[in-house]
Amino acid sequence: MSLQVQVMDKMKEAMKAKDTVALQALRAVKSAFLLAKTEAGAQSDLTEEQEIKIIQKQVKQRKDSVAIFLQQGREDLATPELQEIAILEQFLPKALSEEEVAAVVIETITSLGASGMKDMGKVMGVVSKKLAGQADGKMIADLVKKHLL
């Protein structure tokens, strides 16, 4: 079952339960799916990888908002954003721990024979492709930098 269908099913459940926070998050994702479908040069159907990227982007936007709200002392605005993050994360694959990501990074560095920061782009590309949807890009970049130095 595609993520779009799952989102629609959850939206129906949220409407019946009158869960406004869930409904808002799910409507935002549905809107992002529709925008991605109607972009110039887009295919008629989104791949699962594209759907995951869209949801990850939505989660990242909310995390950024939470950071700003907490920095400004606005817990009242941060709370609904955190609830929306929890709702959206159920559609994403299980995130890997830092140790698991580090293992993949080290394995990739050795298999590519990378040495030094000049190879960071090459390593990042391979690791990002392997761990699509399972690890945050910032975490991957930090680990690659750490192990290439």
Side-chain angles (χ1 to χ4, degrees):
M1 181 183 325
S2 80
L3 287 176
Q4 293 179 57
V5 173
Q6 291 177 22
V7 167
M8 289 302 296
D9 289 345
K10 288 286 185 184
M11 240 173 94
K12 290 174 189 172
E13 289 175 23
M15 284 181 196
K16 289 177 184 174
K18 297 187 183 348
D19 185 350
T20 57
V21 174
L23 201 53
Q24 183 176 344
L26 296 169
R27 281 183 174 151
V29 171
K30 180 184 174 196
S31 172
F33 285 155
L34 289 173
L35 281 171
K37 280 183 176 180
T38 58
E39 284 178 349
Q43 302 166 352
S44 60
D45 282 335
L46 297 173
T47 64
E48 187 174 349
E49 186 176 307
Q50 290 171 318
E51 292 172 337
I52 289 173
K53 281 186 179 180
I54 289 170
I55 294 174
Q56 282 178 322
K57 184 177 179 185
Q58 294 285 318
V59 169
K60 184 177 181 336
Q61 288 173 346
R62 282 163 180 75
K63 285 182 178 178
D64 292 344
S65 296
V66 167
I68 292 169
F69 291 147
L70 291 176
Q71 197 174 43
Q72 296 175 348
R74 297 294 311 263
E75 287 79 17
D76 58 316
L77 295 175
T79 304
E81 296 286 333
L82 289 169
Q83 292 170 339
E84 288 184 22
I85 289 170
I87 290 163
L88 295 178
E89 284 181 337
Q90 64 186 323
F91 297 106
L92 295 174
K94 181 188 163 290
L96 297 176
S97 70
E98 190 168 337
E99 293 79 29
E100 293 169 317
V101 175
V104 173
V105 167
I106 292 168
E107 173 195 326
T108 305
I109 289 172
T110 54
S111 70
L112 292 176
S115 60
M117 292 306 287
K118 67 182 185 328
D119 295 326
M120 183 170 174
K122 192 184 333 176
V123 174
M124 279 293 298
V126 173
V127 173
S128 295
K129 206 169 248 181
K130 279 184 186 176
L131 302 179
Q134 297 178 316
D136 179 45
K138 184 173 179 359
M139 182 198 313
I140 294 172
D142 291 343
L143 289 169
V144 169
K145 283 179 193 171
K146 177 181 166 187
H147 292 287
L148 278 178
L149 293 176

